[in-house]
Amino acid sequence: MNGVYVCSCFGVTEQQVKQHADAGACTPRQIASACKAGTDCGSCVRRIQAILGRGNCPRRELVDQGKPALASAVELDVELDEAA
């Protein structure tokens, strides 16, 4: 099983949202940039917020150092393919 769908408009699962968050996406807008979740009907935005939580961004120290905080979409797609 691939996981629970968070965004039915684009077929994005909770696992995928968590993987994008682990790659540095800290906000629903950053999740939307990574996988389009939340950009159509918007009904999943609150669920995405709940998954992200209110904690610190795990990649904040990279941003503070001026380094890119988000993994490229190509890198993340490879990780998703390997996990399947």
Side-chain angles (χ1 to χ4, degrees):
M1 186 164 131
N2 215 9
V4 176
Y5 284 99
V6 172
C7 176
S8 57
C9 295
F10 293 105
V12 179
T13 64
E14 185 173 319
Q15 177 185 3
Q16 289 172 306
V17 171
K18 289 179 181 179
Q19 288 176 331
H20 287 296
D22 289 344
C26 301
T27 66
R29 183 170 285 174
Q30 290 174 337
I31 294 292
S33 293
C35 64
K36 293 187 178 181
T39 62
D40 194 26
C41 77
S43 67
C44 60
V45 174
R46 287 186 188 257
R47 179 69 184 130
I48 293 168
Q49 288 172 326
I51 292 168
L52 295 174
R54 296 181 183 237
N56 292 329
C57 179
R59 304 290 173 122
R60 188 70 200 176
E61 65 275 2
L62 294 176
V63 173
D64 292 341
Q65 295 170 7
K67 298 178 183 174
L70 297 176
S72 73
V74 172
E75 292 172 9
L76 194 53
D77 285 342
V78 169
E79 290 175 15
L80 290 174
D81 289 342
E82 291 173 356

Coordinates of all heavy atoms in Angstrom, one line a residue:
M1 N 0.8 -1.2 0.0 CA 0.0 0.0 0.0 C 0.9 1.2 0.0 O 1.9 1.3 0.7 CB -0.9 0.0 1.2 CG -1.9 1.1 1.3 SD -3.2 0.7 2.5 CE -3.2 2.2 3.3
N2 N 0.5 2.2 -0.8 CA 1.3 3.4 -1.0 C 1.1 4.5 0.1 O 1.8 5.4 0.2 CB 1.0 4.0 -2.4 CG 2.3 4.6 -3.0 OD1 3.4 4.4 -2.5 ND2 2.1 5.3 -4.1
G3 N 0.0 4.3 0.9 CA -0.2 5.3 2.0 C -1.5 6.0 1.8 O -2.2 5.8 0.8
V4 N -1.9 6.8 2.7 CA -3.1 7.5 2.7 C -3.0 8.8 1.9 O -2.0 9.5 2.0 CB -3.5 7.9 4.2 CG1 -4.7 8.8 4.2 CG2 -3.6 6.7 5.1
Y5 N -4.0 9.0 1.0 CA -3.9 10.2 0.2 C -4.2 11.4 1.0 O -5.2 11.5 1.7 CB -4.9 10.1 -1.0 CG -4.3 9.2 -2.1 CD1 -4.8 7.8 -2.2 CD2 -3.4 9.6 -3.0 CE1 -4.3 7.0 -3.1 CE2 -2.9 8.7 -4.0 CZ -3.3 7.4 -4.0 OH -2.8 6.6 -5.0
V6 N -3.4 12.4 0.9 CA -3.6 13.7 1.5 C -4.3 14.6 0.4 O -5.2 15.3 0.7 CB -2.2 14.4 1.9 CG1 -2.4 15.8 2.4 CG2 -1.6 13.5 3.0
C7 N -3.8 14.6 -0.8 CA -4.3 15.4 -1.9 C -4.8 14.5 -2.9 O -4.0 13.9 -3.7 CB -3.2 16.3 -2.4 SG -3.7 17.3 -3.8
S8 N -6.1 14.4 -3.0 CA -6.7 13.6 -4.0 C -6.7 14.2 -5.4 O -6.7 13.5 -6.4 CB -8.2 13.2 -3.7 OG -9.0 14.3 -3.5
C9 N -6.6 15.5 -5.5 CA -6.5 16.2 -6.8 C -5.3 15.8 -7.6 O -5.3 15.6 -8.8 CB -6.5 17.7 -6.6 SG -8.1 18.4 -5.9
F10 N -4.2 15.6 -6.9 CA -2.9 15.3 -7.5 C -2.3 14.0 -7.1 O -1.2 13.6 -7.4 CB -1.9 16.4 -7.3 CG -2.3 17.7 -8.0 CD1 -2.8 18.8 -7.3 CD2 -2.1 17.8 -9.4 CE1 -3.2 19.9 -7.9 CE2 -2.5 19.0 -10.0 CZ -3.0 20.0 -9.3
G11 N -3.1 13.2 -6.3 CA -2.6 11.9 -5.9 C -1.4 11.9 -5.0 O -0.5 11.0 -5.1
V12 N -1.3 12.8 -4.1 CA -0.1 13.0 -3.2 C -0.5 12.3 -1.9 O -1.5 12.5 -1.3 CB 0.2 14.4 -3.0 CG1 1.4 14.6 -2.0 CG2 0.5 15.1 -4.3
T13 N 0.4 11.4 -1.4 CA 0.2 10.6 -0.2 C 0.8 11.3 1.0 O 1.7 12.2 0.8 CB 0.8 9.2 -0.3 OG1 2.2 9.3 -0.5 CG2 0.2 8.4 -1.5
E14 N 0.4 10.9 2.2 CA 1.0 11.4 3.4 C 2.5 11.1 3.4 O 3.3 12.0 3.8 CB 0.3 10.8 4.6 CG 0.8 11.3 5.9 CD 0.0 10.8 7.1 OE1 -1.3 10.6 6.9 OE2 0.6 10.5 8.1
Q15 N 2.9 9.9 2.9 CA 4.3 9.6 2.9 C 5.1 10.6 2.0 O 6.2 11.0 2.4 CB 4.5 8.2 2.4 CG 5.9 7.7 2.2 CD 6.1 6.3 1.6 OE1 5.1 5.7 1.2 NE2 7.3 5.9 1.5
Q16 N 4.5 10.9 0.9 CA 5.2 11.9 0.0 C 5.4 13.2 0.6 O 6.4 13.9 0.5 CB 4.5 12.0 -1.3 CG 4.6 10.7 -2.2 CD 3.7 10.8 -3.4 OE1 2.5 11.0 -3.2 NE2 4.2 10.6 -4.6
V17 N 4.3 13.7 1.3 CA 4.4 15.0 2.0 C 5.5 14.9 3.1 O 6.3 15.8 3.2 CB 3.1 15.4 2.7 CG1 3.2 16.6 3.6 CG2 2.0 15.6 1.6
K18 N 5.6 13.8 3.8 CA 6.6 13.7 4.8 C 8.0 13.6 4.2 O 9.0 14.2 4.8 CB 6.4 12.4 5.7 CG 5.2 12.5 6.6 CD 5.0 11.3 7.4 CE 3.8 11.4 8.3 NZ 3.5 10.2 9.0
Q19 N 8.1 13.0 3.0 CA 9.4 13.0 2.4 C 9.9 14.4 1.9 O 11.0 14.7 2.0 CB 9.4 12.0 1.2 CG 9.4 10.5 1.7 CD 9.3 9.5 0.6 OE1 8.7 9.8 -0.4 NE2 9.8 8.3 0.8
H20 N 8.9 15.1 1.4 CA 9.2 16.5 1.0 C 9.6 17.3 2.2 O 10.5 18.2 2.1 CB 8.1 17.1 0.2 CG 7.9 16.6 -1.1 ND1 8.8 16.7 -2.2 CD2 6.8 15.9 -1.7 CE1 8.3 16.2 -3.3 NE2 7.1 15.6 -3.0
A21 N 8.9 17.1 3.3 CA 9.2 17.8 4.6 C 10.6 17.4 5.0 O 11.4 18.3 5.4 CB 8.2 17.5 5.6
D22 N 11.0 16.2 5.0 CA 12.3 15.7 5.3 C 13.4 16.3 4.4 O 14.5 16.5 4.8 CB 12.4 14.2 5.3 CG 11.7 13.5 6.4 OD1 11.3 14.2 7.4 OD2 11.4 12.3 6.3
A23 N 13.0 16.6 3.2 CA 13.9 17.2 2.2 C 14.0 18.7 2.4 O 14.8 19.4 1.7 CB 13.5 16.9 0.8
G24 N 13.2 19.3 3.3 CA 13.4 20.7 3.7 C 12.1 21.6 3.5 O 12.2 22.7 3.9
A25 N 11.0 21.0 3.0 CA 9.8 21.8 2.8 C 9.2 22.0 4.2 O 8.9 21.1 4.9 CB 8.8 21.1 1.9
C26 N 9.1 23.3 4.6 CA 8.6 23.6 6.0 C 7.2 24.2 6.0 O 6.7 24.3 7.1 CB 9.6 24.6 6.6 SG 11.3 24.0 6.7
T27 N 6.7 24.5 4.9 CA 5.4 25.2 4.9 C 4.5 24.5 3.8 O 5.0 23.9 2.9 CB 5.5 26.7 4.5 OG1 6.0 26.8 3.2 CG2 6.4 27.4 5.5
P28 N 3.2 24.7 3.9 CA 2.3 24.1 2.9 C 2.6 24.7 1.5 O 2.5 24.0 0.5 CB 0.9 24.6 3.3 CG 1.0 24.6 4.8 CD 2.4 25.2 5.0
R29 N 3.1 25.9 1.4 CA 3.4 26.5 0.1 C 4.7 25.8 -0.5 O 4.7 25.6 -1.7 CB 3.7 28.0 0.3 CG 4.0 28.7 -1.0 CD 4.1 30.2 -0.8 NE 2.7 30.6 -0.7 CZ 2.3 31.9 -0.5 NH1 3.2 32.8 -0.3 NH2 1.0 32.2 -0.4
Q30 N 5.6 25.5 0.4 CA 6.8 24.8 -0.1 C 6.4 23.3 -0.5 O 7.0 22.8 -1.5 CB 7.9 24.7 0.9 CG 8.5 26.1 1.2 CD 9.5 26.1 2.3 OE1 9.4 25.3 3.2 NE2 10.4 27.1 2.3
I31 N 5.5 22.7 0.2 CA 5.0 21.4 -0.2 C 4.3 21.5 -1.6 O 4.5 20.7 -2.5 CB 4.0 20.8 0.8 CG1 4.7 20.5 2.1 CG2 3.3 19.6 0.3 CD1 5.7 19.4 2.1
A32 N 3.5 22.6 -1.8 CA 2.8 22.8 -3.0 C 3.8 23.0 -4.2 O 3.6 22.5 -5.3 CB 1.9 24.1 -2.9
S33 N 4.9 23.7 -3.9 CA 5.9 23.9 -4.9 C 6.6 22.6 -5.3 O 7.0 22.4 -6.5 CB 7.0 24.9 -4.5 OG 6.5 26.2 -4.3
A34 N 6.7 21.7 -4.3 CA 7.4 20.4 -4.6 C 6.5 19.4 -5.3 O 7.0 18.6 -6.1 CB 7.9 19.8 -3.3
C35 N 5.2 19.4 -5.0 CA 4.4 18.3 -5.6 C 3.0 18.7 -6.0 O 2.2 17.9 -6.3 CB 4.3 17.2 -4.6 SG 3.5 17.6 -3.0
K36 N 2.6 20.0 -5.9 CA 1.3 20.6 -6.3 C 0.2 20.4 -5.3 O -0.9 20.9 -5.4 CB 0.9 20.0 -7.7 CG 1.7 20.5 -8.8 CD 1.0 20.0 -10.1 CE 1.7 20.5 -11.3 NZ 1.0 20.0 -12.5
A37 N 0.5 19.6 -4.2 CA -0.6 19.3 -3.2 C -1.0 20.7 -2.6 O -0.2 21.5 -2.3 CB 0.0 18.4 -2.1
G38 N -2.3 20.9 -2.6 CA -2.9 22.1 -2.0 C -3.1 23.2 -3.0 O -3.6 24.3 -2.7
T39 N -2.8 23.0 -4.3 CA -2.9 24.1 -5.3 C -4.2 24.0 -6.1 O -4.4 24.9 -6.9 CB -1.7 24.1 -6.2 OG1 -1.7 22.8 -7.0 CG2 -0.4 24.2 -5.5
D40 N -5.0 23.0 -6.0 CA -6.2 22.9 -6.8 C -7.4 23.3 -5.9 O -7.7 24.5 -5.8 CB -6.4 21.5 -7.4 CG -7.4 21.5 -8.5 OD1 -7.7 22.5 -9.1 OD2 -8.0 20.4 -8.7
C41 N -8.0 22.4 -5.3 CA -9.2 22.7 -4.5 C -8.9 23.3 -3.1 O -9.7 24.0 -2.5 CB -10.2 21.5 -4.3 SG -9.6 20.3 -3.1
G42 N -7.7 23.0 -2.6 CA -7.2 23.5 -1.3 C -7.7 22.8 -0.1 O -7.4 23.1 1.0
S43 N -8.5 21.7 -0.2 CA -9.1 21.1 0.9 C -8.0 20.3 1.7 O -8.3 20.0 2.9 CB -10.2 20.1 0.5 OG -9.7 19.0 -0.3
C44 N -6.9 20.1 1.2 CA -5.8 19.3 1.9 C -4.8 20.2 2.6 O -4.0 19.7 3.4 CB -5.1 18.4 0.9 SG -4.2 19.3 -0.4
V45 N -4.9 21.5 2.5 CA -4.0 22.4 3.1 C -3.9 22.2 4.6 O -2.8 22.2 5.2 CB -4.2 23.9 2.7 CG1 -3.3 24.8 3.5 CG2 -4.0 24.0 1.2
R46 N -5.0 22.1 5.3 CA -5.0 21.9 6.7 C -4.4 20.6 7.1 O -3.7 20.5 8.1 CB -6.4 22.0 7.3 CG -6.9 23.4 7.3 CD -8.3 23.5 8.0 NE -8.8 24.8 7.8 CZ -8.8 25.7 8.8 NH1 -8.3 25.5 10.0 NH2 -9.4 26.9 8.6
R47 N -4.6 19.6 6.3 CA -4.0 18.3 6.6 C -2.4 18.4 6.4 O -1.7 17.8 7.2 CB -4.5 17.2 5.7 CG -3.9 15.8 5.9 CD -4.3 15.2 7.3 NE -3.7 14.0 7.4 CZ -3.0 13.6 8.5 NH1 -2.9 14.4 9.6 NH2 -2.3 12.5 8.6
I48 N -2.0 19.1 5.4 CA -0.6 19.3 5.2 C 0.0 20.0 6.4 O 1.1 19.7 6.9 CB -0.3 20.0 3.9 CG1 -0.7 19.1 2.7 CG2 1.1 20.5 3.7 CD1 -0.8 19.8 1.3
Q49 N -0.7 21.1 6.8 CA -0.2 21.8 8.0 C -0.1 20.9 9.2 O 0.9 21.0 10.0 CB -1.2 23.0 8.3 CG -1.1 24.1 7.4 CD -2.2 25.1 7.6 OE1 -3.4 24.8 8.0 NE2 -1.9 26.4 7.3
A50 N -1.0 20.0 9.4 CA -1.0 19.1 10.5 C 0.2 18.1 10.4 O 0.9 17.8 11.4 CB -2.3 18.3 10.6
I51 N 0.5 17.7 9.2 CA 1.6 16.8 9.0 C 3.0 17.5 9.3 O 3.9 17.0 9.9 CB 1.6 16.2 7.6 CG1 0.5 15.3 7.4 CG2 3.0 15.5 7.3 CD1 0.2 14.9 5.9
L52 N 3.0 18.8 8.8 CA 4.3 19.5 9.0 C 4.5 19.9 10.5 O 5.6 20.1 11.0 CB 4.2 20.8 8.2 CG 4.3 20.6 6.7 CD1 4.1 21.9 6.0 CD2 5.6 19.9 6.3
G53 N 3.4 20.1 11.2 CA 3.4 20.4 12.6 C 3.9 21.9 12.8 O 4.0 22.6 11.9
R54 N 4.1 22.2 14.1 CA 4.5 23.5 14.4 C 5.9 23.6 14.9 O 6.4 24.6 15.4 CB 3.6 24.1 15.4 CG 2.2 24.2 14.9 CD 1.3 24.8 16.0 NE -0.1 24.8 15.5 CZ -0.8 25.9 15.4 NH1 -0.3 27.0 15.8 NH2 -2.0 25.8 15.0
G55 N 6.7 22.6 14.7 CA 8.1 22.5 15.2 C 9.0 23.4 14.3 O 8.6 24.0 13.3
N56 N 10.3 23.3 14.6 CA 11.3 24.0 13.8 C 11.5 23.3 12.5 O 11.3 22.1 12.3 CB 12.6 24.1 14.6 CG 12.5 24.9 15.8 OD1 11.8 25.9 15.8 ND2 13.3 24.6 16.8
C57 N 11.8 24.1 11.5 CA 12.1 23.6 10.2 C 13.4 22.8 10.3 O 14.4 23.3 10.8 CB 12.3 24.7 9.2 SG 12.7 24.2 7.5
P58 N 13.4 21.5 9.9 CA 14.6 20.7 10.0 C 15.8 21.2 9.2 O 17.0 20.9 9.5 CB 14.2 19.3 9.5 CG 13.0 19.6 8.7 CD 12.4 20.8 9.2
R59 N 15.6 22.0 8.2 CA 16.7 22.5 7.4 C 17.0 24.0 7.6 O 17.6 24.6 6.8 CB 16.4 22.3 5.9 CG 16.0 20.8 5.5 CD 17.3 20.0 5.6 NE 17.0 18.6 5.5 CZ 17.5 17.8 4.6 NH1 18.3 18.3 3.7 NH2 17.2 16.6 4.5
R60 N 16.4 24.6 8.7 CA 16.6 26.0 8.9 C 18.1 26.4 9.0 O 18.4 27.5 8.5 CB 15.9 26.4 10.2 CG 15.8 27.9 10.4 CD 14.9 28.5 9.4 NE 15.2 29.9 9.3 CZ 14.6 30.7 8.4 NH1 13.7 30.2 7.6 NH2 14.9 31.9 8.3
E61 N 18.9 25.5 9.5 CA 20.3 25.9 9.7 C 21.0 26.1 8.3 O 21.9 26.9 8.1 CB 21.1 24.9 10.5 CG 21.2 23.5 10.0 CD 19.9 22.6 10.3 OE1 19.0 23.1 10.9 OE2 20.0 21.4 9.9
L62 N 20.5 25.3 7.3 CA 21.0 25.5 5.9 C 20.7 26.8 5.4 O 21.5 27.5 4.7 CB 20.5 24.3 5.0 CG 21.0 22.9 5.4 CD1 20.3 21.9 4.5 CD2 22.5 22.8 5.3
V63 N 19.4 27.2 5.6 CA 18.9 28.5 5.1 C 19.8 29.6 5.8 O 20.2 30.6 5.1 CB 17.4 28.7 5.4 CG1 17.0 30.1 5.0 CG2 16.6 27.7 4.6
D64 N 20.0 29.5 7.1 CA 20.7 30.5 7.8 C 22.2 30.6 7.3 O 22.8 31.7 7.4 CB 20.8 30.2 9.3 CG 19.4 30.4 9.9 OD1 18.5 31.1 9.3 OD2 19.2 29.8 11.0
Q65 N 22.7 29.5 6.7 CA 24.1 29.5 6.2 C 24.1 29.9 4.7 O 25.1 29.9 4.1 CB 24.7 28.2 6.3 CG 24.9 27.7 7.7 CD 25.3 26.3 7.9 OE1 25.5 25.6 6.9 NE2 25.3 25.8 9.1
G66 N 22.9 30.2 4.1 CA 22.8 30.6 2.7 C 22.9 29.5 1.7 O 23.1 29.6 0.6
K67 N 22.7 28.2 2.2 CA 22.7 27.0 1.4 C 21.3 26.7 1.0 O 20.3 27.0 1.7 CB 23.3 25.9 2.1 CG 24.8 26.1 2.5 CD 25.3 25.0 3.3 CE 26.8 25.3 3.7 NZ 27.3 24.2 4.6
P68 N 21.1 26.0 -0.1 CA 19.7 25.6 -0.5 C 19.2 24.6 0.5 O 19.8 23.6 0.9 CB 19.9 24.9 -1.9 CG 21.4 24.7 -2.1 CD 22.1 25.6 -1.1
A69 N 17.9 24.8 0.9 CA 17.3 23.9 1.9 C 16.5 22.8 1.3 O 16.2 21.8 2.0 CB 16.4 24.8 2.8
L70 N 16.0 23.0 0.1 CA 15.2 22.0 -0.5 C 16.0 21.1 -1.5 O 16.8 21.6 -2.3 CB 14.0 22.6 -1.3 CG 13.1 23.4 -0.5 CD1 12.0 24.1 -1.4 CD2 12.4 22.6 0.6
A71 N 15.7 19.8 -1.4 CA 16.3 18.9 -2.4 C 15.7 19.1 -3.7 O 14.5 19.6 -3.8 CB 16.1 17.4 -2.0
S72 N 16.4 18.9 -4.8 CA 15.8 19.1 -6.1 C 14.7 18.0 -6.3 O 14.7 17.0 -5.8 CB 16.9 19.0 -7.2 OG 17.3 17.6 -7.4
A73 N 13.8 18.3 -7.2 CA 12.7 17.4 -7.5 C 13.3 16.1 -8.1 O 12.7 15.0 -7.8 CB 11.7 18.1 -8.5
V74 N 14.3 16.2 -8.8 CA 14.9 15.0 -9.4 C 15.5 14.1 -8.3 O 15.2 12.9 -8.3 CB 16.0 15.3 -10.4 CG1 16.8 14.1 -10.9 CG2 15.5 16.1 -11.6
E75 N 16.2 14.6 -7.4 CA 16.7 13.8 -6.3 C 15.6 13.2 -5.5 O 15.7 12.0 -5.1 CB 17.5 14.7 -5.3 CG 18.8 15.2 -5.9 CD 19.5 16.2 -5.0 OE1 19.0 16.4 -3.8 OE2 20.5 16.9 -5.4
L76 N 14.5 13.9 -5.2 CA 13.4 13.4 -4.4 C 12.6 12.3 -5.2 O 12.3 11.3 -4.6 CB 12.5 14.5 -4.0 CG 11.5 14.2 -2.9 CD1 12.2 13.6 -1.7 CD2 10.6 15.4 -2.6
D77 N 12.5 12.5 -6.5 CA 11.8 11.5 -7.3 C 12.6 10.2 -7.3 O 12.0 9.1 -7.2 CB 11.6 11.9 -8.8 CG 10.5 13.0 -8.9 OD1 9.7 13.1 -8.0 OD2 10.5 13.7 -10.0
V78 N 13.9 10.2 -7.3 CA 14.7 9.0 -7.3 C 14.5 8.4 -5.9 O 14.4 7.1 -5.8 CB 16.2 9.4 -7.5 CG1 17.1 8.2 -7.1 CG2 16.5 9.8 -8.9
E79 N 14.5 9.1 -4.8 CA 14.3 8.6 -3.5 C 12.9 7.9 -3.4 O 12.8 6.9 -2.8 CB 14.4 9.7 -2.4 CG 15.8 10.1 -2.2 CD 15.9 11.3 -1.2 OE1 14.9 11.5 -0.5 OE2 17.0 12.0 -1.2
L80 N 11.9 8.6 -4.0 CA 10.5 8.0 -3.9 C 10.5 6.7 -4.7 O 9.8 5.8 -4.3 CB 9.5 9.0 -4.5 CG 9.3 10.2 -3.7 CD1 8.4 11.2 -4.4 CD2 8.6 9.9 -2.3
D81 N 11.1 6.7 -5.9 CA 11.2 5.4 -6.7 C 11.9 4.3 -6.0 O 11.4 3.2 -6.0 CB 11.9 5.7 -8.0 CG 11.0 6.5 -9.0 OD1 9.8 6.7 -8.8 OD2 11.6 7.1 -9.9
E82 N 13.0 4.6 -5.3 CA 13.7 3.6 -4.5 C 12.9 3.1 -3.3 O 13.0 1.9 -3.0 CB 15.0 4.1 -4.1 CG 16.0 4.4 -5.2 CD 17.3 5.1 -4.8 OE1 17.4 5.5 -3.6 OE2 18.2 5.3 -5.6
A83 N 12.1 3.9 -2.7 CA 11.3 3.5 -1.6 C 10.1 2.6 -2.0 O 9.6 1.9 -1.1 CB 10.8 4.8 -0.8
A84 N 9.7 2.7 -3.2 CA 8.5 1.9 -3.6 C 8.8 0.5 -3.9 O 9.8 -0.1 -3.8 CB 7.9 2.6 -4.9

